[in-house]
């Protein structure tokens, strides 16, 4: 399961797509004349490009039009045109988002894929500028010649905008933190068409909201991000037999709790005969196998080892350009998630029970993520150390997911917007609890008073 953006992430920069209640294309007035600055960049159902642009990775959709701006000024023009149509609006940077909100039946999609430039602004400070429509594979490829990398989800086809406004649990999460933790400034088109640059001193409340709750404030078109100095990483692929009592998971969590933060891991639990296999990817932010091997070695002892391999590879190999593909609604499903602090016997057994009903994945967090104060960004979950994600796929549906998650629901503490496919008030309260949620809603109302981009909470 990839770290998709919300934007509740479509990997979209902020999207407020609202679907017709039936799921069929919503009827609306005929589209108005296209302004000169958008000539050739408005795609409707009669256009051969429409089939490649209509849907997201997780949902098939039938928008009335897809707009393809290539510059910030064209985003402003596209937004004005979209508003004039009197139809729902969705904003898309990549379209991987699990909530499917980066397309909209009968509405207008602002597709930012033409805004995909990546440039190094200052090599000495590792400051880079990345436009929201770039994919993370393109970012990794562009930064590699400079010896730089940004920890940014785990799949190269995910768009920058959604992930970098929702969080960013990447392959280097324990050493680097979340992607949003290294955003230093953003360029945003607000609902009224104004273009605003926000950072820690200019429009600080907008800057706060963009980092974790960006889906409701406007269209983020570019980010200035501090990259990490990194060329190669150590990658270990392990398969371990997981005990049903949860002891294997507890041992995994113990290893991570004691490990240097260079080590980050992702786990998938899958059926294997009458048991469960724990497929584990460990990534070490180090450029020598002499450093990698001792950090990975304790993971080989957490249970019966079925397979293992360790390699040293360039960082772009983790999010390769081979991942780039069209999003045609090819991966429908439902997903929810929660965060854990510690992995004692109760949560570990609950995870194993859930694994019998749904696809369960776990990500180590903690480390650098927890260096940031909870109030510093709109992502407030700064004490937890494990992210648990549950997914079901057709023909299974919501009832199966809810049954699988029931044992875990009362044990989790918070949730992550990019792995929630069913927006709603209950999800909002887990993702943005307490004072954070109140502040998020104030920011959304301040910068988008009409609710043009507001997610369907």
């Amino acid at each position: 399961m990839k770290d998709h953006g919300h934007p509740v992430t479509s990997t979209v920069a902020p999207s407020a797509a609202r679907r017709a209640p039936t799921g069929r294309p919503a009827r609306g007035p005929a589209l108005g004349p296209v302004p000169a600055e958008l000539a050739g960049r408005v795609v409707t159902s009669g256009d051969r490009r429409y089939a490649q642009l209509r849907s997201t990775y997780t949902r098939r959709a039938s928008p009335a039009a897809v707009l393809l701006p290539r510059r910030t000024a064209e985003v402003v023009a596209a937004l004005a045109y979209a508003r004039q149509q009197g139809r729902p609006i969705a904003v898309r940077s990549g379209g991987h988002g699990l909530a499917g909100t980066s397309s909209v039946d009968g509405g207008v999609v602002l597709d930012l894929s033409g805004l995909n430039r990546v440039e190094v602004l200052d090599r000495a400070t590792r400051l880079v500028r990345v436009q929201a429509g770039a994919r993370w594979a393109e970012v990794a490829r562009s930064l590699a010649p400079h010896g730089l990398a940004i920890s940014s989800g785990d799949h190269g086809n995910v768009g920058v905008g959604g992930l970098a406004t929702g969080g960013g649990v990447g392959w280097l999460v324990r050493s680097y933190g979340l992607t949003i933790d290294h955003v230093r400034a953003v360029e945003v088109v607000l609902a009224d068409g104004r273009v605003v640059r926000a950072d820690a001193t200019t429009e600080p409340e907008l800057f706060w909201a963009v980092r974790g709750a960006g889906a409701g404030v406007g269209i983020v078109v570019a980010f200035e991000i501090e990259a990490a100095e990194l060329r190669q990483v150590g990658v270990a692929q392990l398969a371990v037999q997981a005990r049903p009592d949860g002891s294997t998971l507890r041992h995994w969590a113990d290893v991570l709790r004691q490990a240097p933060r260079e080590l980050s891991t992702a786990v998938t639990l899958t059926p294997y005969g009458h048991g469960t296999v724990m497929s584990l990817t460990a990534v070490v932010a180090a450029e020598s196998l002499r450093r990698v091997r001792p950090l990975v070695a304790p993971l080989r002892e957490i249970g019966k080892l079925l397979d293992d391999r360790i390699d040293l590879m360039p960082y772009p190999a983790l999010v390769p350009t081979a991942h780039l593909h069209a999003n045609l609604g090819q991966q429908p499903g439902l997903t929810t998630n929660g965060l854990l602090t510690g992995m004692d016997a109760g949560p570990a057994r609950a995870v194993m029970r859930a694994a019998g009903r749904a696809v369960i994945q776990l990500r180590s967090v903690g480390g650098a993520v927890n260096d940031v104060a909870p109030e510093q960004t709109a992502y407030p979950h700064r004490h937890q150390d494990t992210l648990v994600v549950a997914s079901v796929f057709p023909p299974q549906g919501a009832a199966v997911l809810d049954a699988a998650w029931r044992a875990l629901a009362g044990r989790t503490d918070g949730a992550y917007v990019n792995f929630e496919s069913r927006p709603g008030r209950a999800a909002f309260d887990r993702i943005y609890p307490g004072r954070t949620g109140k502040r998020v809603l104030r920011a959304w109302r301040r910068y988008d008073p009409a609710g043009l981009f507001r997610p369907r909470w």
Side-chain angles (χ1 to χ4, degrees), residues 13 71-72 75 112 115 129-133 186-189 195 219-223:
R71 295 184 291 275
T72 299
V75 173
L112 305 182
L115 284 83
R129 186 176 190 271
V130 184
Q131 290 186 309
V186 292
E187 182 180 349
V188 187
V189 177
V195 180
I219 304 172
V220 183
V221 294
F223 302 81

Side-chain angles (χ1 to χ4, degrees), residues 223-238:
F223 302 81
E224 294 177 16
I225 304 175
E226 184 180 328
E229 194 88 41
L230 187 72
R231 293 184 183 276
Q232 297 190 105
V233 290
V235 180
Q237 301 280 351
L238 310 176

Side-chain angles (χ1 to χ4, degrees), residues 104-188:
V104 56
D105 289 331
V108 179
V109 176
L110 276 66
D111 185 308
L112 305 182
S113 58
L115 284 83
N116 60 0
R117 186 176 180 186
V118 180
E119 58 182 318
V120 176
L121 299 179
D122 187 334
R123 179 61 182 82
T125 61
R126 307 186 304 283
L127 188 67
V128 303
R129 186 176 190 271
V130 184
Q131 290 186 309
R135 309 293 175 107
W136 288 111
E138 298 167 331
V139 176
R141 179 179 59 188
S142 297
L143 296 183
H146 302 277
L148 298 174
I150 296 171
S151 182
S152 49
D154 55 17
H155 196 270
N157 196 43
V158 169
V160 166
L163 185 135
T165 55
V169 178
W171 286 120
L172 307 172
V173 63
R174 294 184 71 249
S175 62
Y176 183 85
L178 302 175
T179 308
I180 62 170
D181 297 341
H182 296 270
V183 173
R184 301 296 177 243
V186 292
E187 182 180 349
V188 187

Side-chain angles (χ1 to χ4, degrees), residues 188-411:
V188 187
V189 177
L190 298 179
D192 60 9
R194 287 183 295 145
V195 180
V196 177
R197 186 182 190 277
D199 58 27
T201 57
T202 304
E203 295 285 358
E205 195 65 11
L206 177 61
F207 184 57
W208 176 86
V210 161
R211 294 173 297 154
V217 294
I219 304 172
V220 183
V221 294
F223 302 81
E224 294 177 16
I225 304 175
E226 184 180 328
E229 194 88 41
L230 187 72
R231 293 184 183 276
Q232 297 190 105
V233 290
V235 180
Q237 301 280 351
L238 310 176
V240 176
Q241 189 169 323
R243 294 176 60 87
D245 63 0
S247 59
T248 312
L249 291 181
R250 297 202 308 274
H251 292 161
W252 165 75
D254 288 342
V255 169
L256 268 295
R257 185 167 51 252
Q258 299 172 41
R261 57 179 55 185
E262 295 130 288
L263 176 67
S264 299
T265 62
V267 169
T268 301
L269 298 174
T270 54
Y272 179 70
H274 296 294
T276 303
V277 166
M278 185 174 179
S279 300
L280 191 152
T281 300
V283 177
V284 180
E287 300 198 5
S288 166
L289 285 177
R290 285 178 295 180
R291 177 60 178 164
V292 172
R293 288 192 179 100
L295 295 188
V296 171
L299 294 171
R300 303 177 76 250
E301 307 300 326
I302 63 175
K304 182 180 178 182
L305 189 66
L306 304 175
D307 192 19
D308 74 314
R309 175 177 176 174
I310 300 178
D311 296 292
L312 198 65
M313 61 181 65
Y315 178 77
L318 289 173
V319 285
T321 54
H323 285 172
L324 299 176
H325 55 70
N327 295 319
L328 306 174
Q330 63 266 53
Q331 189 62 76
L334 293 173
T335 294
T336 193
N337 75 93
L339 290 151
L340 295 171
T341 303
M343 182 73 76
D344 61 24
R349 285 195 299 268
V351 170
M352 292 303 299
R353 287 198 298 272
R357 299 186 175 193
V359 176
I360 298 294
Q361 299 183 63
L362 303 98
R363 310 292 177 88
S364 57
V365 285
V369 176
N370 296 355
D371 291 344
V372 178
E375 67 277 4
Q376 189 168 324
T377 69
Y379 179 96
H381 309 294
R382 302 296 183 167
H383 63 273
Q384 300 90 332
D385 49 30
T386 302
L387 172 65
V388 184
V389 182
S391 302
V392 297
F393 302 95
Q396 295 178 323
V400 174
L401 179 61
D402 292 341
W405 191 252
R406 194 167 294 124
L408 274 163
R411 299 180 182 275

